[in-house]
Amino acid sequence: MPRTLIRQGRIVTAVDDYVGDLLLDDGRIVAIGEKLDVGGDALEIDARGLLVLPGGVDCHTHMENTFGESTTCDTFESGTRSAAFGGTTTIVDFAFQRRDTGVLEAIRSAQERAGSKASIDYGFHLITTHVDDSTLADMRHAIRHEGVTSFKMFMAYPGTVMVDDAAIFRAMRLVGQHGGMVCLHAENGGVIDLLIREALEQGHTAPRFHALTRPSLMEGEATHRGIKLAELAQSPVYIVHLSAREALAQVIEARNAGIPVFAETCPHYLFFDESVYDSEDWELARYVMSPPLRSKEAQHALWRALKTDQLQVVSTDHCPFCMKEGHLGRVRQKPHGRHDFSKIPNGVPGVETRTTVIYDGGVRQNRLSMNRFVELVSTAPAKLFGLFPRKGTVAVGSDADVVLFDPDEKHVISAKTQHSDCDYTLFEGKEVCGRVKKVFSRGELIVDGERWLGKPGRGRFVKRGEVGGF
Ligand code: URP
Ligand code: ZN
Ligand code: ZN
């Protein structure tokens, strides 16, 4: 691979903002200077007028993940290609411990699925669905030796993935002692399940009832409970896909008390609100994700919390299911729940739009500073999940994961021009300002304007270090 010299771009990290040159060699950033003189063999790229950003780190994606009867429509191949076009160079996806699968087997199986397909670097959280002595021993092994240092546990979906409070507490007590972290899907599964059954008994089958049966109070309740379990276990905790004001209040209270609680929200909660559910239309299945969209007030509160570090990360929870059955051969997608909202696979796409919509809606709308934008989409997730400083910044010695971004170019988002296998985007038709122009992954140019230069299988599994490094 040739050395690459990126000339005179505006280099922005979570703390810096200056114009300079960047030399990439052998997969890493090897020099940064005002005007580097590196001899003639380097490939020169003129970055005047462009932002030079650390590659995005999306710590919540679901590529070819199976939930119940449905599998997300993006494979590691299509999903990582889509991520790269969106300026993301590292994802943390999920290995899945099932009833018949042990922890280490789950990690191997996820590595095998991703290995020949991923075109950007990736790590895994482990979805932990039961906790016994052998699970705990394997979790310790995973943290120490496998580079899998975070564990997602569900307080929702009883009968499938939900775990009880004692299991969460046991896992937290163990991982907290060994530099790991539990990530919680915080919704009260028992109550929600009852509300779903009652709605169906009354003949309510439309997608909007997905939202009506998942009240924000029950997200707040579970968030409170999860934080208390973590406090007792003396362990950090990370709340995934936080959407409700009630949940945010719990995170703020705990952080103010010095408890190591971290949380992410996702673009769909920042740009859409519950008013979309105001119809019986089947098309609303595209907005079926958990937790569901919340009030306009909640949305404003989330933006404020991102600014003030009450929330630390914007991830995507990219969990795509097609709106059309059979699209690219995918089956049991959103129409699986055509006559019963509880069977609509939960989740929405977003991995390709995150950088642009957060730049456009955050920086350009004066909700976030440029540095904070970089921190939210790259540096903070890298730090929290044991990837920093290899990922998440532009610094000598870091991996040469670099994005050249035009802050002024306008374009209209459309599923037709995206690179995911999903047949829709929530942002269809939205005009945004800011565009990913070039993406380097470990020094290799993989996105060049509209051209895809990445190769399936070039992405590497990243062994992550201790988590919660703030
Ligand atoms: O609806 C969602 N969020 N689906 C993805 C799985 C999860 O809970 O993160
Ligand atoms: Zn979840
Ligand atoms: Zn998720």
Side-chain angles (χ1 to χ4, degrees):
M1 203 190 321
R3 298 195 302 164
T4 303
L5 182 61
I6 300 173
R7 282 263 189 234
Q8 294 301 294
R10 179 176 166 193
I11 299 168
V12 183
T13 69
V15 288
D16 311 299
D17 191 341
Y18 56 92
V19 172
D21 294 351
L22 204 62
L23 183 64
L24 319 181
D25 191 14
D26 202 19
R28 293 185 312 128
I29 297 168
V30 294
I32 303 176
E34 224 170 356
K35 274 201 172 107
L36 291 177
D37 184 3
V38 299
D41 65 322
L43 174 73
E44 279 204 29
I45 292 181
D46 181 358
R48 277 174 300 178
L50 300 179
L51 304 182
V52 178
L53 308 174
V57 176
D58 190 343
C59 60
H60 191 159
T61 65
H62 299 274
M63 308 304 178
E64 51 188 279
N65 284 193
T66 300
F67 293 98
E69 296 176 80
S70 301
T71 299
T72 54
C73 63
D74 266 325
T75 61
F76 276 96
E77 181 171 346
S78 64
T80 55
R81 181 182 64 216
S82 182
F85 271 100
T88 288
T89 49
T90 308
I91 57 169
V92 188
D93 207 278
F94 293 88
F96 210 135
Q97 175 213 30
R98 297 179 194 274
R99 291 249 164 266
D100 50 353
T101 323
V103 168
L104 303 178
E105 196 186 339
I107 295 170
R108 293 286 166 271
S109 145
Q111 285 168 330
E112 259 165 45
R113 258 180 299 129
S116 61
K117 298 181 199 152
S119 51
I120 58 170
D121 291 351
Y122 54 93
F124 296 109
H125 311 279
L126 181 90
I127 291 178
T128 311
T129 56
H130 60 270
V131 176
D132 54 21
D133 289 346
S134 117
T135 310
L136 291 171
D138 285 350
M139 285 166 82
R140 194 168 58 183
H141 178 90
I143 297 171
R144 288 217 182 127
H145 305 291
E146 302 286 338
V148 173
T149 51
S150 44
F151 302 86
K152 178 169 180 186
M153 302 183 84
F154 286 85
M155 302 171 87
Y157 306 115
T160 56
V161 289
M162 184 170 123
V163 282
D164 64 19
D165 294 349
I168 294 171
F169 175 68
R170 278 191 92 185
M172 284 174 162
R173 206 168 44 182
L174 183 280
V175 304
Q177 280 168 15
H178 293 92
M181 185 150 66
V182 168
C183 304
L184 283 180
H185 177 130
E187 288 186 295
N188 184 317
V191 171
I192 288 169
D193 208 40
L194 173 77
L195 297 177
I196 291 172
R197 275 189 279 120
E198 286 176 352
L200 289 172
E201 276 161 23
Q202 289 163 31
H204 299 310
T205 59
R208 67 190 292 247
F209 287 94
H210 170 79
L212 294 176
T213 53
R214 306 188 89 89
S216 56
L217 259 181
M218 290 299 95
E219 186 186 335
E221 183 281 325
T223 305
H224 172 80
R225 191 159 29 103
I227 290 171
K228 290 298 153 195
L229 295 173
E231 196 179 345
L232 188 65
Q234 298 189 314
S235 159
V237 64
Y238 182 87
I239 309 296
V240 296
H241 47 47
L242 186 145
S243 68
R245 269 204 300 186
E246 291 85 341
L248 180 59
Q250 297 301 326
V251 169
I252 294 172
E253 188 184 315
R255 287 178 63 80
N256 286 344
I259 301 167
V261 176
F262 309 97
E264 65 180 21
T265 190
C266 312
H268 36 277
Y269 301 122
L270 295 166
F271 291 94
F272 301 90
D273 66 77
E274 63 194 4
S275 62
V276 303
Y277 298 123
D278 213 4
S279 124
E280 295 280 315
D281 192 349
W282 152 252
E283 285 291 315
L284 299 189
R286 70 183 58 231
Y287 299 107
V288 167
M289 81 292 281
S290 294
L293 301 173
R294 303 299 190 189
S295 64
K296 227 22 203 164
E297 293 72 41
Q299 196 183 90
H300 294 315
L302 294 177
W303 276 112
R304 271 197 307 276
L306 288 172
K307 183 175 182 148
T308 56
D309 200 37
Q310 291 164 337
L311 290 174
Q312 289 69 51
V313 171
V314 178
S315 71
T316 61
D317 192 9
H318 178 79
C319 189
F321 297 97
C322 294
M323 281 298 288
K324 273 188 248 67
E325 198 69 1
H327 179 74
L328 299 176
R330 306 295 194 279
V331 291
R332 297 197 194 88
Q333 300 290 294
K334 294 283 187 185
H336 192 51
R338 193 86 172 80
H339 305 293
D340 174 350
F341 71 87
S342 72
K343 293 200 166 65
I344 301 171
N346 289 196
V348 293
V351 79
E352 193 161 338
T353 39
R354 180 182 69 144
T355 308
T356 306
V357 295
I358 299 302
Y359 172 78
D360 182 66
V363 180
R364 294 202 69 106
Q365 303 295 319
N366 288 321
R367 290 174 171 129
L368 302 172
S369 72
M370 191 79 93
N371 298 117
R372 183 65 181 155
F373 154 67
V374 173
E375 188 166 27
L376 288 166
V377 300
S378 180
T379 317
K383 284 185 174 175
L384 272 168
F385 289 104
L387 291 159
F388 187 84
R390 189 167 159 197
K391 310 288 189 189
T393 194
V394 174
V396 171
S398 294
D399 281 357
D401 294 351
V402 176
V403 172
L404 304 192
F405 188 83
D406 186 335
D408 299 313
E409 186 175 324
K410 291 193 170 130
H411 69 285
V412 176
I413 296 174
S414 172
K416 287 197 180 66
T417 50
Q418 292 205 334
H419 305 81
S420 155
D421 279 355
C422 193
D423 59 356
Y424 79 99
T425 160
L426 292 183
F427 294 100
E428 186 71 39
K430 181 180 170 69
E431 188 185 67
V432 281
C433 196
R435 187 160 210 174
V436 171
K437 302 299 285 182
K438 291 185 196 292
V439 177
F440 296 86
S441 165
R442 279 180 280 98
E444 195 179 331
L445 183 62
I446 59 170
V447 171
D448 189 8
E450 292 301 310
R451 282 198 308 150
W452 174 234
L453 304 173
K455 298 261 180 320
R458 68 162 297 288
R460 287 189 196 148
F461 173 70
V462 191
K463 276 192 169 185
R464 293 183 291 118
E466 289 198 4
V467 299
F470 256 63

